[in-house]
Amino acid sequence: MFPNSILGRPPFTPNHQQHNNFFTLSPSLYSHQQLIDAQFNFQNTDLSRAVSLQQLTYGNVSPIQTSTSPLFRGRKRLSDEKNLPLDGKRQRFHSPHQEPTIVNHIVPLSGERRYSMPPLFHTHYVPDIVRGVPPFREIPFLEPREITLPEAKDKLSQQILELFEACQQQVSDLKKKELCRTELQREIQLIFPQSRLFLVGSSLNGFGTRSSDGDLCLVVKEEPVNQKTEARHILTLVHKHFCTRLSGYIERPQLIRAKVPIVKFRDKVSCVEFDLNVNNIVGIRNTFLLRTYAYLENRVRPLVLVIKKWASHHEINDASRGTLSSYSLVLMVLHYLQTLPEPILPSIQKIYPESFSPAIQLHLVHQAPCNVPPYLSKNESNLGDLLLGFLKYYATEFDWNSQMISVREAKAVPRPDGIEWRNKYICVEEPFDGTNTARAVHEKQKFDMIKDQFLKSWHRLKNKRDLNSILPLRTAILKR
């Protein structure tokens, strides 16, 4: 996608000895002066001369010499690793299917319509995030755990499953995004050699569709950055690099100076639209939290997908236009499933606080879904009844004026008194940082439109028991 000839030199291969302290991530990883230096290097020198950085530390601890660590020396696990505690090792699941696996293999193969399979990391695999970034290569995974999709005995449930199987993200979709991420990371490291690019959001959280955009998070340090100044400056350099060096492969790069600034662009090869932010660390954490919920119970993913398609069809799924973001919608579905008389989902942050602590270092976050077994609910409601119940809950039962949706608490809680929550029409708590994910809904007209759509759709679906009454199935499938 980004051939080395564009740079006029061999592939970029990080020097592990030079960057052996990479992911200790000092809070002052890139100082203001270093950003200025980066811009100077970008404008006045060969891009291969990247920013020179200080030795890294984490907090007040001495730099960690990962290259000499007994656990991370070379590619293979050494004997010292055998003594790790049980919860520090990858779980192994066996599958009768012997399909080849790929990087971030999170979705079923196109030919396997009855199974939905999340990835589990190979026992010998140590994430490259703790060592610096090695040359691109496929990372082996264990055979994924099989999750049988729910049976559909009624027409409405069958329609929901048909939509899900036609529209869920496929392995080929993810491979395109992962290839672009890998190549872009290599390019960005010419400017910021100790940075790391993460694929986040629906592409990895289990709720992606074939038409889902790609979300990328560029991490320069584990501490927050000032989004108005530091993040904008970093993205300015990235945007300029895209425009000047990668114009043949990246289309329409735009720097959006929003509250959380992003660079929007389109990859010409895969035709995938991407949004790239800087250091939105919570987005990495909630990606793997949602991924755990996605595979905890086999009704979750089909239900979320049909609700996202329904909301998009009725134009209430666009935060940039003052309605609900996809993230808020997913949290609303999870909350509903947690608050049924016989819950379908628990609060996994309460049951597994160590696995989902905000203090976990980024290179360990991906392990959390592997440590959580499937949840066995006594609730046997079918997908059609759950969709009806979701619409009814938010149309007639949830108290928008006094309650906040909390997936972390697995219940509706009283609205906080903080300024962020005042005069807000919809309050959805972000499970890690406690902010309002639905703050975009700030106009009463948009709020009334959202509530009205819940009520109308509930009445129509209750009377017809046909998904086409609220979402034209053929159109939705064609859009993927």
Side-chain angles (χ1 to χ4, degrees):
M1 188 181 343
F2 301 98
N4 296 309
S5 59
I6 192 172
L7 302 175
R9 53 187 172 74
F12 173 68
T13 304
N15 184 317
H16 287 260
Q17 187 63 35
Q18 178 183 353
H19 301 308
N20 61 357
N21 295 315
F22 172 38
F23 278 100
T24 47
L25 292 169
S26 166
S28 58
L29 179 56
Y30 290 101
S31 67
H32 179 67
Q33 184 59 47
Q34 287 169 327
L35 291 174
I36 294 174
D37 292 343
Q39 187 172 24
F40 177 82
N41 286 342
F42 180 84
Q43 293 173 339
N44 298 286
T45 69
D46 181 2
L47 283 170
S48 62
R49 296 180 59 195
V51 188
S52 176
L53 298 171
Q54 64 195 40
Q55 192 176 35
L56 304 180
T57 59
Y58 187 77
N60 298 320
V61 182
S62 299
I64 299 174
Q65 301 294 329
T66 54
S67 64
T68 59
S69 167
L71 296 184
F72 302 112
R73 185 165 60 252
R75 281 285 174 189
K76 295 183 179 180
R77 181 177 63 171
L78 301 184
S79 58
D80 297 35
E81 190 179 354
K82 297 176 183 177
N83 298 321
L84 284 174
L86 182 61
D87 59 0
K89 299 179 181 179
R90 312 292 191 273
Q91 296 183 17
R92 180 179 293 273
F93 294 85
H94 296 281
S95 165
H97 299 280
Q98 298 299 322
E99 298 289 351
T101 50
I102 61 162
V103 176
N104 288 332
H105 184 174
I106 68 164
V107 290
L109 298 174
S110 58
E112 298 185 28
R113 294 172 59 81
R114 299 307 306 169
Y115 294 99
S116 176
M117 304 179 294
L120 295 170
F121 289 85
H122 194 280
T123 306
H124 293 172
Y125 168 58
V126 178
D128 56 26
I129 191 168
V130 301
R131 287 189 298 264
V133 184
F136 173 67
R137 69 181 187 88
E138 291 190 353
I139 299 171
F141 291 91
L142 284 177
E143 287 297 324
R145 179 175 48 175
E146 290 181 355
I147 298 179
T148 305
L149 295 178
E151 291 186 0
K153 296 180 180 180
D154 62 293
K155 177 183 177 180
L156 180 55
S157 297
Q158 289 172 352
Q159 290 174 322
I160 294 171
L161 270 187
E162 179 185 350
L163 180 68
F164 173 72
E165 292 182 342
C167 298
Q168 65 173 323
Q169 181 178 250
Q170 301 296 316
V171 170
S172 58
D173 304 321
L174 183 59
K175 285 182 71 175
K176 293 175 183 177
K177 296 174 184 178
E178 174 59 21
L179 179 60
C180 187
R181 182 207 66 80
T182 304
E183 298 293 350
L184 286 177
Q185 176 174 262
R186 185 173 291 132
E187 287 293 325
I188 292 172
Q189 284 176 339
L190 298 174
I191 313 171
F192 301 106
Q194 295 180 331
S195 62
R196 179 72 157 88
L197 194 61
F198 288 85
L199 188 61
V200 296
S202 62
S203 297
L204 279 185
N205 67 20
F207 298 118
T209 66
R210 301 219 64 184
S211 59
S212 293
D213 292 346
D215 294 304
L216 296 168
C217 178
L218 175 62
V219 175
V220 295
K221 58 183 178 181
E222 285 206 26
E223 307 303 319
V225 302
N226 186 312
Q227 293 292 326
K228 288 185 178 180
T229 56
E230 198 175 359
R232 286 186 183 182
H233 190 73
I234 293 168
L235 287 177
T236 298
L237 299 181
V238 171
H239 177 256
K240 184 175 291 187
H241 185 57
F242 285 2
C243 291
T244 57
R245 305 287 294 191
L246 303 177
S247 59
Y249 305 94
I250 284 181
E251 198 170 50
R252 304 193 301 266
Q254 292 178 282
L255 177 59
I256 309 296
R257 293 175 173 83
K259 182 177 181 181
V260 176
I262 60 172
V263 171
K264 293 180 72 74
F265 62 94
R266 181 176 180 268
D267 172 30
K268 289 183 180 179
V269 176
S270 67
C271 298
V272 174
E273 301 275 350
F274 285 92
D275 291 346
L276 188 155
N277 68 69
V278 172
N279 265 68
N280 186 24
I281 302 297
V282 71
I284 301 173
R285 299 189 187 281
N286 65 45
T287 291
F288 289 97
L289 175 68
L290 262 58
R291 172 168 176 69
T292 308
Y293 278 116
Y295 292 99
L296 204 59
E297 219 281 341
N298 66 0
R299 289 166 287 185
V300 177
R301 294 175 66 220
L303 187 63
V304 167
L305 187 143
V306 71
I307 288 168
K308 286 172 64 176
K309 291 289 186 181
W310 162 80
S312 180
H313 175 72
H314 293 284
E315 299 183 338
I316 58 172
N317 179 205
D318 189 346
S320 69
R321 297 179 180 272
T323 59
L324 294 163
S325 66
S326 292
Y327 183 39
S328 292
L329 275 169
V330 173
L331 293 175
M332 289 170 69
V333 177
L334 300 181
H335 166 76
Y336 161 68
L337 296 175
Q338 290 174 327
T339 56
L340 291 166
E342 190 64 63
I344 288 178
L345 293 176
S347 166
I348 57 177
Q349 285 172 288
K350 282 188 171 182
I351 298 175
Y352 303 95
E354 299 85 4
S355 295
F356 297 95
S357 167
I360 293 178
Q361 292 184 341
L362 289 182
H363 68 273
L364 301 175
V365 170
H366 72 271
Q367 297 179 14
C370 304
N371 298 327
V372 181
Y375 183 71
L376 302 178
S377 172
K378 296 178 181 179
N379 188 318
E380 297 181 353
S381 299
N382 60 46
L383 287 170
D385 289 338
L386 291 175
L387 176 57
L388 261 174
F390 170 82
L391 296 172
K392 180 184 179 183
Y393 177 72
Y394 288 109
T396 66
E397 298 173 18
F398 184 78
D399 187 348
W400 299 99
N401 294 322
S402 64
Q403 292 182 321
M404 175 181 73
I405 293 165
S406 176
V407 169
R408 179 178 55 86
E409 293 289 339
K411 62 182 180 181
V413 299
R415 283 191 180 211
D417 294 328
I419 189 170
E420 182 176 2
W421 306 93
R422 294 175 193 164
N423 304 318
K424 299 300 183 201
Y425 295 103
I426 300 178
C427 294
V428 181
E429 179 193 49
E430 207 293 320
F432 286 102
D433 65 18
T435 57
N436 184 10
T437 70
R439 59 184 173 271
V441 186
H442 55 80
E443 296 178 11
K444 189 175 187 305
Q445 178 189 1
K446 296 294 178 67
F447 174 57
D448 290 340
M449 181 177 73
I450 292 169
K451 284 198 307 179
D452 185 56
Q453 200 51 246
F454 272 99
L455 188 61
K456 286 181 177 178
S457 293
W458 172 53
H459 283 303
R460 286 180 192 148
L461 194 60
K462 182 175 63 172
N463 293 330
K464 301 283 188 180
R465 296 289 301 192
D466 183 345
L467 188 58
N468 287 293
S469 64
I470 63 169
L471 174 63
L473 194 55
R474 185 176 181 82
T475 303
I477 289 176
L478 288 174
K479 286 184 178 180
R480 294 292 180 102

